[in-house]
Amino acid sequence: MSEHGLTRQSDLDELSAWLDGELDPPSAERVARLVCSDPDWQATCEQFRAVSACMELLPPVGPARDLTDGIVRTARRRRRIGRAAGVLVPLAAAAGLAVAVMLAWPSRPAGPEAPAGVQAKIETILEDVPRQDRPIVRNLSFFQNYREVVDYQQVRQIVDAETVSALADMEAEESL
Amino acid sequence: MLAFQAGQEEAFRTLVQRNQAKVYGMIFRVIGDHAQVEDLTQEVFLRIFRTAGRYQPLAKFSTWLYRIAANVALNAIRAKRKIKLAGLELPDEEDGSSWHRDVPDRRVASPQTGMDAAELRGKLAEAIAGLPENQRIAFTLNQYEHMSYQEIADILDCSTMAIKSLLSRARSNLRDALVRYLGREFAGKMPNP
């Protein structure tokens, strides 16, 4: 069995490029002469040609089905979602920030359940409070101890609609 | 591509129809798993859809297309490697990758090797899969897409000298792998190690 073969990386690079037709004419001519005359160049050239010939035995590959419809559909759906997110994300961020502020608010002990008298007072107030403001009253413990009920109107002035909405969402989650 | 960039959405459909096979083929040769390759092929075209505004016709469209495909394939390889390192990968199937199993039997057995066609294809595919990722991509683009060194360099964003070295090393590695797998059948042309 032949013991010939190139070992220098630069020679291997030149031979490989010659086989790909990527050498300039003078270099190509030099390598061609070496392949004809030098057993090491000859042996390695045969090896590299055999590698390419073997690799051509792998058949062409393509998708088993037409992917076009799926790709176009997905692209359009993602664009719609992207446009919607462009509006919803800032709103969600504002609501999230409001909730974070409220959770970080110096906590008052929720403590034991509000005394029955105070609870009753809260429920009476709730009857008169507009529906959209009820989360504020129900969650006055964020702003005030249970021991006294604050006029929710004062709180309403400093709490915006997004925060009220966030409070309602929290209540909804807790009730699940 | 320019028509799509100008707002003609049906042009995107045409673009996908014309190019999905070559993108799929290129990624398959690099990744080897049909299920994953379908997802990755979709990802290539979704990126084109998303970034069409950034396309500039300074080079061939195919260069841009294959560059995205190469990046998607490389990211997939690296992600899989991270999963493997984290010990999260599922055990390999006993019969190895799906390369040769899913490829239709369109070729007769090589008269040189005497082994059946499916087995030979499996060994060849294993040899390619064993290449380092950049060599694998460069070899695939050169061998199967018949791209020039300059085209491959543009796709992989490196010099033609680097491509020259990548391809020569890929050939040497494949030669060594084929000697290991095919033994005497291939060794007839090999020097002693």
Side-chain angles (χ1 to χ4, degrees):
Chain A
M1 188 176 296
S2 168
E3 296 188 353
H4 295 293
L6 296 174
T7 52
R8 279 199 321 185
Q9 190 58 50
S10 57
D11 289 341
L12 289 163
D13 291 354
E14 288 293 285
L15 175 62
S16 174
W18 177 72
L19 285 168
D20 289 332
E22 292 277 349
L23 290 182
D24 56 80
S27 301
E29 203 178 314
R30 181 181 64 85
V31 171
R33 275 201 301 274
L34 284 165
V35 168
C36 288
S37 61
D38 187 311
D40 289 333
W41 284 83
Q42 226 164 41
T44 307
C45 182
E46 285 175 6
Q47 295 159 21
F48 279 5
R49 281 185 170 142
V51 165
S52 288
C54 275
M55 291 306 160
E56 283 302 316
L57 294 176
L58 286 174
V61 182
R65 59 188 178 90
D66 188 349
L67 305 175
T68 308
D69 286 345
I71 289 171
V72 171
R73 215 169 25 244
T74 304
R76 287 178 177 158
R77 186 173 64 240
R78 285 195 188 180
R79 185 175 56 187
R80 281 198 301 274
I81 291 171
R83 284 176 181 162
V87 172
L88 291 173
V89 163
L91 281 180
L97 183 60
V99 169
V101 166
M102 290 173 56
L103 290 174
W105 199 273
S107 60
R108 310 270 180 165
E113 285 238 313
V118 174
Q119 188 64 34
K121 200 170 180 181
I122 291 173
E123 284 167 2
T124 305
I125 290 174
L126 275 175
E127 288 172 7
D128 298 329
V129 167
R131 188 185 180 84
Q132 66 270 18
D133 291 341
R134 287 175 192 173
I136 297 176
V137 177
R138 283 196 290 266
N139 290 282
L140 279 173
S141 60
F142 282 118
F143 306 98
Q144 183 62 5
N145 195 295
Y146 268 128
R147 294 183 197 283
E148 53 182 321
V149 176
V150 171
D151 180 357
Y152 89 96
Q153 293 287 1
Q154 291 178 332
V155 176
R156 187 68 184 84
Q157 283 170 9
I158 61 171
V159 173
D160 61 15
E162 280 172 356
T163 306
V164 176
S165 172
L167 282 170
D169 288 344
M170 276 168 48
E171 288 181 336
E173 279 183 19
E174 284 167 11
S175 68
L176 288 174
Chain B
M1 183 64 203
L2 293 175
F4 173 51
Q5 207 176 32
Q8 297 175 34
E9 282 215 356
E10 272 309 298
F12 178 70
R13 175 177 289 273
T14 306
L15 194 152
V16 174
Q17 278 168 340
R18 281 188 193 161
N19 294 285
Q20 60 176 295
K22 57 176 136 181
V23 169
Y24 186 100
M26 180 259 182
I27 295 180
F28 179 80
R29 299 233 184 263
V30 175
I31 301 289
D33 173 0
H34 276 292
Q36 193 182 12
V37 172
E38 213 172 91
D39 289 341
L40 296 176
T41 300
Q42 175 173 269
E43 180 58 30
V44 169
F45 289 104
L46 291 178
R47 286 195 190 189
I48 288 174
F49 189 88
R50 212 165 50 235
T51 61
R54 286 185 234 154
Y55 170 69
Q56 292 183 325
L58 301 174
K60 289 198 305 188
F61 167 72
S62 60
T63 302
W64 193 56
L65 176 70
Y66 278 111
R67 182 180 294 168
I68 295 175
N71 284 335
V72 166
L74 280 170
N75 289 341
I77 292 169
R78 287 161 187 166
K80 194 171 179 182
R81 192 158 56 222
K82 281 186 189 167
I83 291 171
K84 198 170 183 176
L85 286 173
L88 298 174
E89 195 183 41
L90 294 174
D92 288 338
E93 297 175 7
E94 280 187 4
D95 57 350
S97 71
S98 65
W99 287 66
H100 66 277
R101 189 180 61 236
D102 298 334
V103 174
D105 188 0
R106 296 181 198 163
R107 306 291 178 118
V108 297
S110 163
Q112 296 170 336
T113 67
M115 69 172 60
D116 67 72
E119 193 178 352
L120 176 60
R121 282 198 301 272
K123 293 300 183 190
L124 296 175
E126 270 181 52
I128 294 180
L131 292 175
E133 58 212 33
N134 279 338
Q135 287 181 24
R136 207 183 312 166
I137 291 182
F139 181 79
T140 297
L141 292 173
N142 175 262
Q143 175 83 17
Y144 298 107
E145 308 299 330
H146 309 294
M147 287 193 171
S148 69
Y149 284 19
Q150 186 60 58
E151 286 173 319
I152 301 172
D154 289 340
I155 288 167
L156 296 183
D157 197 22
C158 60
S159 66
T160 52
M161 289 300 294
I163 297 301
K164 190 174 172 182
S165 174
L166 275 178
L167 286 173
S168 124
R169 288 170 197 275
R171 285 191 165 108
S172 297
N173 287 335
L174 288 170
R175 173 201 54 195
D176 296 342
L178 291 176
V179 167
R180 280 197 305 275
Y181 295 143
L182 303 178
R184 285 182 171 277
E185 286 87 349
F186 202 73
K189 297 180 185 297
M190 300 284 102
N192 278 327

